[in-house]
Amino acid sequence: MADDLCGALEKLKLVSAEGPADSLEDSLDCLLKALAHNNAEASEKIQASGLLSLFPAMLTQQTACTPKVANIIAEVAKNEWMRSACVGAGLVPPLVQLLNCKDQEVLLQTGRALGNICYDSHSLQAQLINMGVIPTLVKLLGIHSQNTALTEMCLIAFGNLAELESSKEQFACTSVAEELVALFRKQTEHEKREVIFEVLAPLAENDLIKLQLVEAGLVECLLDVVDEAVGGQREEDAAQLKTSSDLLVLLLLGDESMQKLFEGGKGSVFQRVLSWVPSNSHQLQLAGALAIANFARNDGNCIHMVDEGIVQKLLDLLERHTEEGNVTVQHAALSALRNLAIPVVNKWKMLSAGVADVVLKFLVSEMPPVQFKLLGTLRMLIDTQAEAAEQLGTNGKLVERLAEWCEAKEHAGVMGESNRLLSALIRHSKSKDVIRTVIQGGGVKHLVTMATSEHVIMQNEALVALGLIAALDLDSAEKDFEGATLVQILHKLLSDEHSAPEIKYNSLILTCAVLGSEPLHKEVHGLTFLDVVSKLRAHENKTVARQASLTEQKLTVQS
């Protein structure tokens, strides 16, 4: 075999690329046999012979030997260490040109060669995209959809290229959505559907392609797969159920595709997805709740869904998962409720339906994703709802849990939401009873820390809540303010040139409020507050400047 290979290599080097095809064919067959016998060894000898540099000319001629040359390149490029040699020999441009030929065997071997050369190399894949292979491959898929091997080659290529963000714009300018959906409709085998799914998932991350897939009828195909798979006992049934429902939820992340499927709440797809929520399949429950959360991304949809009674379906689902329930389902259902609670007109309806009571059952959860969503749901529910804010704000167990989560440094999202809900309970209730519950629950120090957040909105929420505490129950909060170094923090916020105008304004208000406490009054006068406040009288924001003048007067009178 080794002698035959060496002879074939010598012969190929001697014979001109313009020579008769039959004089090359035997040698090319010998190379393919050697590669099949021991790919690594044969590839080394091919590289050492310098033969790779002759291949571009052979590919350009397009003779009867062309598919065999492309096949040899495909086999050689299976070795990672040979790929750069193939690129260096200038094989990529002539291979790309061959994708325009009509010979199906040439197309197949060319696709394999390019795929192996560019495998796992984003830079080479990006080069292929720039050379325009995507429209060519999509066209090939449409023309040769009956050729199983060519179809698989195109799908593998799509799967690799679709991972790159730069590819998605090109894909969006082709008929890839129609071609893939047409191909999907023909498939009955699980494995072949899975290959198409692997291409669809990365492509569907692009909003324009999402819409194209919806318009091409992919959702109806996915719903059919779900109907076939639900209740099935085979492993592949569970896999298809998950893949199909996950992909459908992904399609709903695009605003246009989501609205197209919502159809004013009357769409058949929307109605079928709703029927998943009360099902016995955890996967369908999850997908149904996530779909509702995605449909609930604008006020009009939210108002319609609440009026249609969707809240009760979600509450029933949560009740089924209260004790040792499925965490992903809990998270999804809470996400949906949080989104539905955003429009003001929905808040009291949802509170009346007992949403807060059901959500509070998950306070015992130790799962950060669930904690995060339940906090967000409660915060949305009490926004502008004074009575609800007072009811929740006087719930000692809730406030103690919030204070605990305000220290969850390993989960920044939970920590942030806990602080924001603590502040919201005070800001929306403006209740002395809520303030006392927060003080007793150890929440004041967390609000003071929140005032130093890197997020202006959180800083501001904290300062407003602290201002209400100081105005309504300064005596009770005095020690906590001292312990949390509130006065020093106010001084820093007022001195900082980068503090937003609203932060300056609320810090000035709070400074005036704490002057009513003797120990805090002493702290204020122990620092250079008067100098800092005097400078703010010239602030470009008139509201800040006016408040600075009032604060200066108060400091001067009380000094």
Side-chain angles (χ1 to χ4, degrees):
M1 178 71 77
D3 291 341
D4 291 346
L5 175 60
C6 291
L9 289 168
E10 285 305 313
K11 187 176 180 182
L12 283 167
K13 286 167 72 177
L14 290 170
V15 177
S16 167
E18 288 85 2
D22 56 0
S23 63
L24 298 173
E25 201 149 0
D26 290 345
S27 299
L28 293 172
D29 284 338
C30 183
L31 262 63
L32 285 167
K33 281 181 187 173
L35 286 161
H37 176 70
N38 188 329
N39 191 305
E41 185 183 330
S43 294
E44 279 182 14
K45 289 186 176 177
I46 290 169
Q47 184 185 18
S49 72
L51 187 63
L52 287 179
S53 62
L54 299 179
F55 282 166
M58 292 183 187
L59 293 170
T60 305
Q61 292 304 311
Q62 284 195 47
T63 66
C65 293
T66 303
K68 289 184 179 178
V69 175
N71 191 358
I72 290 167
I73 297 167
E75 290 302 312
V76 164
K78 284 180 178 177
N79 302 288
E80 187 180 348
W81 45 270
M82 283 294 295
R83 290 168 194 158
S84 58
C86 290
V87 175
L91 296 178
V92 173
L95 285 169
V96 169
Q97 282 303 310
L98 282 176
L99 289 175
N100 294 301
C101 88
K102 293 179 180 175
D103 186 297
Q104 294 188 29
E105 184 60 22
V106 171
L107 288 169
L108 178 61
Q109 299 305 337
T110 300
R112 287 184 62 238
L114 283 170
N116 289 348
I117 290 171
C118 300
Y119 180 75
D120 213 22
S121 168
H122 284 174
S123 61
L124 286 174
Q125 289 166 2
Q127 190 179 322
L128 286 184
I129 292 166
N130 291 335
M131 293 171 83
V133 299
I134 287 174
T136 306
L137 288 169
V138 173
K139 203 177 292 179
L140 288 179
L141 183 63
I143 295 169
H144 302 291
S145 60
Q146 302 306 315
N147 184 320
T148 305
L150 259 180
T151 298
E152 286 178 3
M153 181 273 287
C154 287
L155 290 173
I156 291 167
F158 291 164
N160 289 329
L161 296 174
E163 297 294 336
L164 274 73
E165 200 56 43
S166 58
S167 74
K168 293 184 174 69
E169 286 182 19
Q170 282 203 28
F171 272 118
C173 295
T174 69
S175 60
V176 71
E178 292 170 32
E179 300 296 353
L180 289 174
V181 173
L183 191 62
F184 188 85
R185 282 199 177 99
K186 295 177 191 172
Q187 303 305 328
T188 53
E189 294 176 37
H190 167 64
E191 289 78 11
K192 290 186 177 177
R193 280 179 174 173
E194 282 296 313
V195 173
I196 302 173
F197 274 136
E198 284 171 17
V199 177
L200 288 168
L203 285 178
E205 290 170 7
N206 177 277
D207 282 359
L208 189 53
I209 299 175
K210 280 186 182 79
L211 183 60
Q212 291 170 355
L213 289 169
V214 167
E215 289 175 338
L218 178 60
V219 175
E220 287 73 17
C221 295
L222 296 176
L223 289 169
D224 289 342
V225 174
V226 168
D227 288 344
E228 289 169 24
V230 73
Q233 302 302 311
R234 299 170 302 171
E235 271 187 38
E236 65 183 57
D237 290 326
Q240 289 200 77
L241 186 65
K242 175 170 172 47
T243 311
S244 301
S245 54
D246 282 353
L247 184 52
L248 192 147
V249 170
L250 179 60
L251 292 174
L252 292 174
L253 283 171
D255 289 339
E256 283 190 78
S257 53
M258 178 270 287
Q259 282 301 89
K260 189 170 183 67
L261 294 171
F262 189 66
E263 292 183 67
K266 306 298 180 190
S268 61
V269 173
F270 172 64
Q271 295 299 330
R272 283 176 75 177
V273 165
L274 280 190
S275 71
W276 294 353
V277 177
S279 80
N280 291 319
S281 159
H282 283 182
Q283 178 58 38
L284 284 188
Q285 292 170 3
L286 171 64
L290 286 174
I292 291 170
N294 285 341
F295 280 124
R297 287 208 318 279
N298 71 43
D299 284 5
N301 292 3
C302 288
I303 292 164
H304 176 84
M305 286 193 279
V306 168
D307 288 343
E308 289 296 305
I310 283 172
V311 169
Q312 194 55 53
K313 289 179 186 286
L314 292 168
L315 293 182
D316 292 343
L317 178 59
L318 278 173
E319 291 282 12
R320 292 169 69 181
H321 289 274
T322 304
E323 293 178 16
E324 297 180 11
N326 184 296
V327 172
T328 54
V329 174
Q330 292 172 355
H331 180 263
L334 289 166
S335 296
L337 287 171
R338 180 201 173 281
N339 288 0
L340 290 170
I342 293 172
V344 175
V345 295
N346 281 358
K347 297 181 193 298
W348 69 268
K349 293 177 186 175
M350 292 177 69
L351 287 163
S352 301
V355 172
D357 296 332
V358 175
V359 170
L360 284 172
K361 292 180 182 180
F362 294 90
L363 273 181
V364 295
S365 174
E366 295 301 329
M367 305 304 294
V370 174
Q371 295 167 353
F372 180 73
K373 286 299 178 184
L374 80 85
L375 290 166
T377 304
L378 291 174
R379 186 166 63 81
M380 286 300 146
L381 281 171
I382 64 164
D383 189 15
T384 71
Q385 306 297 306
E387 190 179 330
E390 182 159 13
Q391 192 176 351
L392 287 174
T394 51
N395 180 328
K397 285 184 180 177
L398 169 62
V399 172
E400 282 174 22
R401 193 68 158 141
L402 293 182
E404 181 187 330
W405 287 340
C406 282
E407 294 179 358
K409 291 185 174 62
E410 67 278 18
H411 301 295
V414 173
M415 189 167 72
E417 276 294 343
S418 299
N419 277 296
R420 294 192 75 186
L421 180 54
L422 204 56
S423 161
L425 291 170
I426 294 168
R427 289 184 295 108
H428 295 301
S429 69
K430 297 180 178 61
S431 159
K432 199 167 182 177
D433 290 336
V434 170
I435 288 167
R436 284 192 176 154
T437 307
V438 170
I439 293 168
Q440 287 164 9
V444 172
K445 64 180 179 182
H446 299 300
L447 291 172
V448 174
T449 302
M450 183 183 170
T452 65
S453 167
E454 60 187 24
H455 305 291
V456 172
I457 190 167
M458 287 180 66
Q459 278 187 293
N460 209 43
E461 288 172 357
L463 289 168
V464 172
L466 291 166
L468 285 165
I469 293 172
L472 296 173
D473 202 350
L474 182 57
D475 290 345
S476 301
E478 187 178 74
K479 285 184 181 175
D480 287 335
F481 281 164
E482 281 185 275
T485 65
L486 173 62
V487 171
Q488 289 89 324
I489 286 168
L490 286 173
H491 187 272
K492 188 177 178 183
L493 291 173
L494 291 169
S495 306
D496 188 350
E497 291 178 9
H498 302 294
S499 290
E502 58 268 38
I503 301 304
K504 299 274 193 198
Y505 176 78
N506 283 314
S507 296
L508 289 166
I509 295 280
L510 186 49
T511 300
C512 289
V514 299
L515 291 173
S517 155
E518 190 176 337
L520 295 174
H521 185 284
K522 283 179 182 175
E523 283 189 42
V524 168
H525 284 286
L527 296 168
T528 56
F529 264 84
L530 201 53
D531 294 344
V532 173
V533 171
S534 295
K535 287 178 186 174
L536 289 176
R537 285 190 307 162
H539 198 278
E540 59 186 19
N541 184 293
K542 289 180 181 176
T543 307
V544 172
R546 190 161 50 248
Q547 185 57 46
S549 295
L550 293 171
T551 307
E552 184 185 32
Q553 289 172 24
K554 197 160 188 177
L555 286 167
T556 306
V557 168
Q558 295 191 9
S559 60

